[in-house]
């Protein structure tokens, strides 16, 4: 079955849906998403979206905060572009129906502050900002006749000129993708003039993550296999504060809680962040995550505690209604109790390398949002810059893709090959998938987590190479399932993270190794690049 459209969007978060709405003005759009359309990392974003929206703030201040957090390797031209286009991007979201929280008077937006920011510039919708953004975008997409949404569909691989030719080509291009209809258990061919990867991050490659289950690195893995350049995969951000509770499934406690005065404490009540950074509890995420990790290992504790009990109870409940209610469901009253918290994998700062239009080096293929490496985040993302980046690049990519369809269209063959399962059979050994899935996530957490070493990375590489060989054999022998597709992608992403981490012989931002604990300003101020050799 072949499905044709002008634009193919893989992913349904803020990046994919923002792009789809703008592209739909000029052509037909197919949106492919693994679960129901609202299930994305965007939906779970609590804190907000950063933008200069106050006369007391400035572009230069936001740029400087981003550069400082990025630890010296942000692309300054990209930082300036994203920051300066922030206000218009916010207005676009408001026009699509996003309702940000206003002050009590209702005449201006309630701006809050998060770690690493020098001013209050975070627009939010209470403490469920992502859910509100996703709600508005989904409603707008549902009403657009030019957009067709394919839920419960998972992309398997990109369809490229090189793949059709069965050899490398000088001008590789993307023609669409093979996609598994999960419910019908059949593979469809999606053909498009422009293909957008907006598939999110890869938090599920780690044992502990606050990402949704869909974050299995699909876009990065597919792009890499298609020949696109991947960069800075060693920079996985660990959110410092996820709720430590057996039934919480790594529920995230927003950075905004510390922004409103919460203090991190040991079990005995000692506040410890002042010994790690002058901003104390408002230090950048990489520093806070490493500090918590160190405190837990030093004192043998399973967690540390987040204390906001000194703030007025009514203020806490009103500012964080969702967090408050969720914690209450677990028997924790954050107005009276310290919240037990631990770090968890949160955000991938590397990804598929793109230019300022969201273009990859495979013609006709774009990547935006967490799947992409734009240069904005450097070695560590500044809080609430992710939603901003995704929305800004959605506009940039949509404009470029629309222009390219008329000025530089990808030349497609008269017919594209449909998926061929060959002699593959149904598997009767799904234990292979579950075993490898569990093993990857455990050794990535233990060997390639918050603190790394040369020996740990070597051990991780040996293990992932063995697992990769096993997965490839399994992949070609058995009919594909969504679990097998995700496992294959997780293994690819794990190897890319390890490869990039081995290249960086220093500690910078989110990459910390005990063998090279200092920054190497002479050799380290560059991106780590990986490209598949065919």
């Amino acid at each position: 079955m072949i499905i044709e459209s002008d634009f193919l969007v893989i992913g349904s978060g803020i990046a994919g849906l923002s792009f789809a709405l703008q592209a739909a003005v000029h052509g037909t759009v197919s949106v492919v998403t693994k679960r129901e359309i609202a299930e994305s990392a965007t939906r779970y974003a609590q804190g907000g979206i950063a933008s200069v929206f106050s006369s007391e703030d400035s572009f230069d201040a936001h740029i400087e905060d981003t550069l400082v957090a990025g630890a010296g390797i942000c692309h300054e031209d990209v930082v300036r572009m994203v920051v300066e286009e922030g206000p218009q991007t916010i207005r676009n979201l408001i026009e699509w129906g996003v309702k940000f929280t206003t002050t009590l008077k209702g005449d201006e937006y309630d701006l809050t502050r998060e770690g690493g920011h020098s001013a209050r510039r975070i627009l939010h919708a209470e403490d469920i900002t992502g859910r509100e953004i996703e709600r508005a975008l989904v409603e707008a997409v549902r009403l657009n006749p030019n957009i067709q949404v394919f839920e419960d569909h998972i992309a398997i691989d990109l369809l490229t000129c090189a793949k059709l030719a069965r050899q490398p080509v000088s001008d590789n291009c993307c023609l669409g993708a093979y996609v598994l209809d999960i419910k019908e258990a059949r593979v469809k061919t999606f053909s498009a003039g422009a293909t957008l990867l907006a598939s999110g991050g890869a938090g599920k490659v780690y044992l502990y993550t606050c990402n949704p289950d869909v974050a299995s690195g699909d876009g990065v893995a597919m792009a890499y296999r298609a020949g696109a350049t991947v960069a800075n995969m060693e920079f996985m951000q660990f959110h410092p504060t996820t709720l430590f509770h057996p039934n919480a499934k790594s529920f995230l406690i927003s950075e905004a809680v510390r922004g409103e005065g919460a203090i991190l404490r040991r079990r005995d009540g000692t506040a410890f962040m002042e010994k790690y950074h002058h901003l104390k509890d408002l230090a950048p995420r990489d520093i806070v995550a490493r500090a918590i990790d160190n405190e837990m290992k030093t004192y043998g504790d399973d967690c540390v505690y987040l204390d906001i009990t000194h703030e007025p109870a009514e203020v806490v409940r009103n500012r964080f209604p969702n967090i408050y209610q969720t914690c209450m469901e677990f028997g924790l009253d954050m107005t009276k109790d310290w919240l037990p918290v631990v770090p968890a994998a949160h955000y991938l700062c590397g990804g598929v390398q793109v230019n300022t239009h969201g273009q990859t080096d495979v013609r006709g293929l774009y990547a935006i949002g967490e799947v992409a490496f734009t240069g904005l985040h450097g070695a560590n993302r500044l809080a609430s810059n992710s939603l901003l980046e995704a929305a800004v690049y959605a506009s940039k990519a949509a404009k470029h893709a629309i222009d390219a369809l008329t000025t530089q269209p990808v030349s497609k063959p008269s017919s594209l090959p449909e998926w061929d399962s060959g002699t593959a059979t149904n598997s009767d050994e799904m234990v292979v998938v579950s075993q490898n899935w569990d093993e990857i996530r455990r050794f990535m957490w233990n060997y390639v987590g918050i603190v790394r070493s040369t020996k740990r990375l070597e051990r991780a590489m040996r293990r992932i190479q063995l697992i990769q060989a096993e997965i490839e054999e399994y992949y070609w022998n058995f009919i594909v399932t969504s679990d097998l597709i995700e496992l294959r992608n997780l293994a690819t992403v794990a190897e890319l993270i390890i490869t990039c981490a081995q290249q960086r012989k220093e500690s910078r931002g989110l990459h910390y190794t005990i063998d090279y604990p200092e920054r190497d300003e002479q050799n380290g101020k560059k991106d780590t690049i990986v490209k598949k050799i065919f």
Side-chain angles (χ1 to χ4, degrees):
M1 180 179 185
I2 297 180
I3 298 168
E4 295 191 16
S5 56
D6 295 313
F7 307 93
L8 170 61
V9 176
I10 300 173
S12 60
I14 184 175
L17 298 188
S18 296
F19 176 96
L21 287 168
Q22 293 170 86
V25 177
H26 299 271
T28 55
V29 183
S30 296
V31 176
V32 167
T33 186
K34 293 202 301 193
R35 304 288 190 271
E36 54 99 12
I37 185 173
E39 182 63 7
S40 68
T42 297
R43 182 182 186 177
Y44 297 93
Q46 295 175 346
I49 180 167
S51 183
V52 176
F53 236 70
S54 165
S55 59
E56 298 176 2
D57 196 6
S58 69
F59 289 147
D60 285 343
H62 190 177
I63 290 167
E64 180 62 20
D65 291 344
T66 301
L67 294 175
V68 169
I73 60 169
C74 296
H75 296 195
E76 192 165 350
D77 60 329
V78 172
V79 176
R80 183 166 294 278
M81 179 196 79
V82 172
V83 167
E84 291 183 350
E85 298 202 9
Q88 181 56 51
T89 299
I90 297 295
R91 287 190 282 271
N92 291 344
L93 291 172
I94 293 169
E95 288 179 9
W96 283 324
V98 177
K99 294 178 173 60
F100 292 110
T101 299
T102 58
T103 58
L104 290 176
K105 292 182 179 179
D107 56 348
E108 58 185 23
Y109 290 108
D110 177 46
L111 303 177
T112 189
R113 183 183 175 193
E114 294 182 357
H117 288 275
S118 59
R120 286 183 171 267
R121 64 170 69 99
I122 314 299
L123 290 97
H124 64 98
E126 294 182 338
D127 59 345
I128 51 170
T129 307
R131 191 187 304 176
E132 168 59 17
I133 290 173
E134 190 74 7
R135 177 205 62 78
L137 294 179
V138 167
E139 287 184 7
V141 162
R142 292 289 196 199
L143 292 172
N144 195 305
N146 269 359
I147 302 175
Q148 187 172 3
V149 179
F150 295 85
E151 297 177 307
D152 298 302
H153 282 62
I154 179 171
I156 303 170
D157 261 326
L158 297 171
L159 187 52
T160 63
C161 302
K163 185 169 289 187
L164 289 183
R166 297 184 181 276
Q167 62 183 9
V169 296
S170 57
D171 181 27
N172 195 14
C173 60
C174 184
L175 306 170
Y178 289 121
V179 177
L180 174 67
D181 181 332
I182 298 171
K183 289 187 174 179
E184 295 186 9
R186 65 167 173 161
V187 178
K188 302 173 182 176
T189 302
F190 280 74
S191 170
T195 299
L196 176 79
L197 293 172
S199 51
K204 296 297 286 187
V205 77
Y206 285 96
L207 184 61
Y208 302 110
T209 178
C210 51
N211 286 180
D213 287 341
V214 294
S216 51
D218 305 328
V220 175
M222 288 191 297
Y224 174 71
R225 290 195 292 266
T229 301
V230 173
N232 284 18
M233 292 293 289
E234 71 271 34
F235 297 124
M236 172 64 79
Q237 186 177 78
F238 292 82
H239 196 288
T241 53
T242 54
L243 189 63
F244 182 69
H245 189 281
N247 300 322
K249 201 179 179 181
S250 297
F251 176 71
L252 189 150
I253 305 298
S254 171
E255 186 140 5
V257 177
R258 283 182 288 123
E260 295 298 332
I263 298 168
L264 286 162
R265 302 185 185 278
R266 294 182 199 138
R267 187 180 298 274
D268 65 5
T270 303
F272 56 83
M273 277 308 302
E274 62 183 354
K275 75 176 185 179
Y276 293 97
H277 197 274
H278 69 278
L279 289 176
K280 295 189 266 191
D281 299 276
L282 285 176
R285 287 179 176 175
D286 60 323
I287 294 168
V288 178
R290 276 202 306 277
I292 294 173
D293 183 71
N294 186 63
E295 291 289 319
M296 289 165 57
K297 289 175 177 174
T298 299
Y299 293 94
D301 290 331
D302 294 328
C303 64
V304 297
Y305 296 86
L306 191 64
D307 173 20
I308 198 170
T309 59
H310 49 278
E311 298 293 334
E314 185 177 354
V315 171
V316 173
R317 286 192 293 267
N318 290 338
R319 175 64 183 86
F320 305 108
N322 179 59
I323 296 174
Y324 174 79
Q325 184 57 45
T326 302
C327 289
M328 286 294 288
E329 292 172 7
F330 298 120
L332 296 165
D333 183 346
M334 64 189 293
T335 67
K336 300 176 182 177
D337 304 320
W338 299 351
L339 301 180
V341 293
V342 293
H346 180 57
Y347 188 89
L348 180 63
C349 290
V352 186
Q353 188 176 49
V354 298
N355 63 14
T356 53
H357 303 293
Q359 281 181 292
T360 73
D361 49 5
V362 175
R363 196 158 62 88
L365 179 65
Y366 298 79
I368 59 175
E370 192 174 351
V371 70
F373 165 71
T374 65
L376 174 68
H377 306 306
N380 182 25
R381 176 178 69 88
L382 182 65
S384 290
N385 267 359
S386 54
L387 294 177
L388 176 67
E389 176 196 43
V392 167
Y393 268 85
S395 297
K396 290 286 186 180
K399 183 178 185 304
H400 190 277
I402 290 164
D403 291 343
L405 281 184
T406 55
T407 60
Q408 293 180 310
V410 172
S411 179
K412 292 193 292 185
S414 56
S415 64
L416 294 177
E418 294 198 40
W419 181 261
D420 182 6
S421 295
T423 59
T425 60
N426 286 311
S427 172
D428 58 359
E429 293 186 354
M430 285 303 290
V431 67
V432 174
V433 175
S434 59
Q435 166 64 27
N436 284 333
W437 179 287
D438 184 65
E439 187 174 346
I440 290 171
R441 298 181 72 202
R442 286 186 182 279
F443 76 65
M444 286 297 290
W445 182 262
N446 291 327
Y447 295 157
V448 201
I450 297 171
V451 177
R452 302 159 180 175
S453 73
T454 301
K455 285 186 177 180
R456 292 175 196 171
L457 294 175
E458 289 172 351
R459 291 188 185 108
M461 182 59 81
R462 286 196 296 270
R463 280 161 173 74
I464 197 61
Q465 288 174 342
L466 288 172
I467 290 173
Q468 283 275 45
E470 191 170 306
I471 290 172
E472 278 304 295
E473 180 185 5
Y474 190 93
Y475 177 80
W476 292 110
N477 288 338
F478 298 106
I479 292 172
V480 293
T481 64
S482 58
D483 287 342
L484 176 56
I485 292 166
E486 288 186 333
L487 173 64
R488 184 187 185 215
N489 291 334
L490 273 180
T492 299
V493 168
E495 186 167 355
L496 290 170
I497 293 172
I498 298 164
T499 299
C500 287
Q502 287 182 318
Q503 289 184 36
R504 188 166 290 280
K505 308 295 186 183
E506 62 160 358
S507 289
R508 183 182 296 271
L510 301 168
H511 173 73
Y512 184 85
T513 168
I514 58 176
D515 294 307
Y516 304 95
E518 305 298 329
R519 286 193 200 178
D520 181 351
E521 297 295 2
Q522 183 175 351
N523 303 305
K525 296 183 74 170
K526 59 185 179 183
D527 301 319
T528 50
I529 304 297
V530 184
K531 191 175 176 73
K532 187 176 178 66
I533 299 174
F534 290 94

